Amino acid sequence: MLSGALGTARRAALALTTAALALTALPATATARPASDPLARFHDQRLTWKSCVLGPDDTTGKELEQAGARCADVTVPLDYSDPGGRTITVAISRIRATDTDRRVGPLLLNGGGPGGPSLGDAPGVRKAMKDVGARYDVVGVDPRFIGRSTPLDCRWPTGSAWRAAGEDRAGFDRTAAFSKGLAERCRTHAGDVLPHATTRNTARDMDVVRAALGERRISYLGYSYGSYLGEVYTSMFPGRTDRVVLDGVIDPDRYTARLWRGVEPVNRQALQGWASWAAARDAAYGLGRTRGEVLAAVERVRVAAGRTPLRLGDHRLDEHVMPIVVLNGLSQHNDTAYGDFAQGVRDMLRASRGQRVTPSPWLAGVLDLVLTGSDSPYGSAQTAIVCGDNAAPRDPEVYWRDVQRGRAQDPLFAPVTNNINPCAYWDRPRERPTRIRGDLPALLVNATGDPRTYYDGAEAVRGRWPSSRLITLRGADQHGVYGVFGAPCVDDAVNAYLATGRLPAGDIDCAAPAVR
């Protein structure tokens, strides 16, 4: 949800020169629609482009402005079954193509989540694209109810609905009551919009954005959950995409209201990799001189938090939150992220010994997210989409049995990944999940050790879509690769595809460098 070997990069370049598959871009003008089109007023709307800066403290807006972006609000129906009814807005940014003679068209972005804003992603993606970026209008989108779009806020006391079940039945029952309370708050404060917070409606919004931009086709770059959104959009609107890149690939068959299930082994692997890194830096962090000693330190924190909540500044870290902190530390495979996590574990370890601790900036940020309502809109929208897309088991005993079975294998992660969440108390979705089309010529990207969108999901989609190609980053516990990890083998292959529209002749393997 976030550097290649020279030989591998060279093989990738050779494969690209012999690619046989091509996607031909259609003219970048919209075709006429029948007068009976119920969405005509949305498709034909004229966008008002303006500065992206909302105020003196708007760093996202300033970064967009420095990159030459302009912003607009796209009007869409709240309920697509009633297009004449209430409307909401979807906020977008756009960095226009400068190489107009070779312009491909718009590249729409989704950075994941669900619940993550993407309006501010355009400058970073434009930089990662290098010279080919000049041929695209790079379009960041805050999906409905997220970021600068019409908001959805359940007024939660937390920014995350996910909790660990705790050590016993009493702890599990607390999380069940917590989840039920979050669902009830959403009905109270956002009940009128909850049924419309779905991936299918986000895909419909994307198609309105396409039309409002005056385009017959869009290209698309989606990370993590954004890969699922891309799968849904291409299935609902076949023929309206040009070049599609899905990074951190979700197997649509495993996108459910219990989306954490099954990630224990890959997160355990990522934790072990980080522990080896921290052990080599015991002088800096004091967590142990071997991987085993560092993992034992994490376990001591878990056990201590299960006995008595740990004091960390103004926060109390208990058995329900400690595993969430660890999961938040495991998605980026680099020295900076590893160091932030090591400082956080050191803080928790000191607190477990009864010391007064002011949490490090990274840990303080995670605790603010989980233990305060400062990010309530983020958590509200994320949960509403997950629960709106898929029905969940209603019986708490289902979750309790799964927690108990999983705990024996992994007492740290399984009580999170199998635990109950607000979807158990949510109203049933109004629509069935999208039936994903059988084949698509897309470029898939995934790291073998991705702790969020694990690698077998990418392999499953590659098998489902024989016309696609898969770029594999081996040896990295990394979530989100293109333009994020710094692997030239991956970045160059993606950029070659974006430049030519031709997929590699075969799948590409890239080797990750040592952590840096």
Side-chain angles (χ1 to χ4, degrees):
M1 152 219 279
L2 296 165
S3 297
L6 178 61
T8 306
R10 188 171 295 150
R11 287 195 301 274
L14 288 173
L16 286 164
T17 61
T18 58
L21 286 171
L23 292 173
T24 304
L26 298 179
T29 54
T31 55
R33 284 175 293 278
S36 59
D37 178 9
L39 298 177
R41 70 183 180 113
F42 301 103
H43 290 156
D44 297 333
Q45 65 185 289
R46 181 166 297 181
L47 301 182
T48 301
W49 296 97
K50 57 193 176 184
S51 170
C52 298
V53 181
L54 299 182
D57 298 325
D58 181 13
T59 56
T60 297
K62 291 177 181 177
E63 290 173 359
L64 285 163
E65 187 167 79
Q66 289 171 1
R70 302 287 285 175
C71 288
D73 292 323
V74 181
T75 302
V76 299
L78 171 66
D79 181 353
Y80 277 86
S81 69
D82 181 21
R86 180 179 169 186
T87 62
I88 58 175
T89 58
V90 171
I92 66 174
S93 64
R94 181 177 67 178
I95 303 174
R96 302 207 69 164
T98 54
D99 186 352
T100 54
D101 291 339
R102 297 189 299 162
R103 180 180 178 273
V104 176
L107 176 69
L108 268 64
L109 311 177
N110 185 278
S118 295
L119 178 139
D121 292 344
V125 171
R126 174 65 181 81
K127 182 178 179 181
M129 295 172 75
K130 300 181 180 177
D131 292 343
V132 72
R135 299 176 55 194
Y136 284 85
D137 293 344
V138 183
V139 180
V141 182
D142 279 355
R144 59 169 49 203
F145 308 129
I146 294 163
R148 299 187 183 188
S149 298
T150 299
L152 186 164
D153 186 1
C154 298
R155 304 182 194 176
W156 281 357
T158 180
S160 174
W162 318 111
R163 293 290 190 275
E167 300 298 314
D168 54 23
R169 182 60 194 236
F172 171 80
D173 289 343
R174 283 194 296 272
T175 61
F178 173 76
S179 295
K180 185 177 182 181
L182 295 182
E184 290 173 346
R185 281 175 180 258
C186 279
R187 286 194 192 90
T188 299
H189 299 294
D192 56 335
V193 299
L194 286 185
H196 312 293
T198 67
T199 299
R200 286 177 61 82
N201 280 330
T202 299
R204 292 176 176 119
D205 294 344
M206 283 175 56
D207 204 56
V208 171
V209 171
R210 173 201 59 78
L213 291 172
E215 305 287 346
R216 289 185 63 189
R217 283 187 172 185
I218 58 171
S219 295
Y220 179 76
L221 169 62
Y223 293 87
S224 190
Y225 162 80
S227 72
Y228 178 70
L229 175 60
E231 293 160 3
V232 170
Y233 179 80
T234 56
S235 299
M236 291 179 66
F237 300 99
R240 297 186 188 176
T241 51
D242 184 354
R243 301 164 201 191
V244 176
V245 180
L246 307 181
D247 187 325
V249 186
I250 291 177
D251 178 356
D253 290 341
R254 297 174 73 172
Y255 173 76
T256 72
R258 304 184 71 188
L259 72 173
W260 277 107
R261 294 191 75 197
V263 303
E264 302 95 330
V266 71
N267 276 277
R268 176 61 58 178
Q269 172 187 302
L271 183 63
Q272 291 170 345
W274 163 81
S276 295
W277 179 94
R281 295 159 179 79
D282 181 57
Y285 301 106
L287 299 177
R289 296 181 181 180
T290 68
R291 182 174 79 175
E293 290 177 354
V294 175
L295 293 173
V298 174
E299 177 64 7
R300 285 198 298 275
V301 173
R302 185 190 71 82
V303 172
R307 288 195 302 260
T308 305
L310 311 182
R311 296 185 60 183
L312 289 153
D314 294 331
H315 297 301
R316 300 295 180 269
L317 183 75
D318 64 13
E319 59 186 341
H320 304 299
V321 173
M322 183 272 173
I324 301 294
V325 172
V326 175
L327 282 167
N328 270 273
L330 301 173
S331 68
Q332 300 301 299
H333 191 147
N334 60 67
D335 279 338
T336 299
Y338 275 10
D340 286 343
F341 183 40
Q343 289 178 351
V345 173
R346 182 183 60 188
D347 290 344
M348 292 188 290
L349 188 61
R350 291 172 57 210
S352 73
R353 297 168 178 159
Q355 297 175 258
R356 296 183 63 86
V357 178
T358 299
S360 60
W362 174 83
L363 180 57
V366 175
L367 295 175
D368 283 344
L369 167 72
V370 179
L371 296 175
T372 77
S374 59
D375 287 304
S376 170
Y378 169 80
S380 301
Q382 179 182 75
T383 308
I385 294 167
V386 171
C387 301
D389 283 344
N390 294 283
R394 317 293 276 189
D395 184 358
E397 298 306 316
V398 171
Y399 303 89
W400 173 243
R401 287 194 297 267
D402 289 344
V403 166
Q404 290 297 83
R405 278 194 294 263
R407 189 194 306 278
Q409 297 296 321
D410 196 321
L412 176 61
F413 294 128
V416 178
T417 59
N418 292 286
N419 198 24
I420 197 166
N421 66 63
C423 298
Y425 304 97
W426 219 258
D427 293 341
R428 295 288 183 179
R430 290 193 176 183
E431 295 185 271
R432 294 177 179 271
T434 302
R435 184 181 179 88
I436 302 302
R437 60 182 288 191
D439 194 12
L440 180 75
L443 187 58
L444 314 175
V445 183
N446 226 97
T448 52
D450 186 335
R452 295 292 180 269
T453 50
Y454 31 108
Y455 183 67
D456 62 357
E459 291 181 309
V461 174
R462 174 68 177 89
R464 180 193 292 259
W465 291 346
S467 297
S468 67
R469 296 293 181 265
L470 174 60
I471 303 175
T472 298
L473 180 65
R474 298 197 178 276
D477 301 328
Q478 171 69 26
H479 183 52
V481 180
Y482 170 67
V484 179
F485 185 70
C489 172
V490 175
D491 294 354
D492 292 348
V494 173
N495 285 339
Y497 167 62
L498 292 174
T500 65
R502 293 190 297 270
L503 288 164
D507 295 340
I508 297 174
D509 274 10
C510 297
V515 180
R516 69 262 181 259

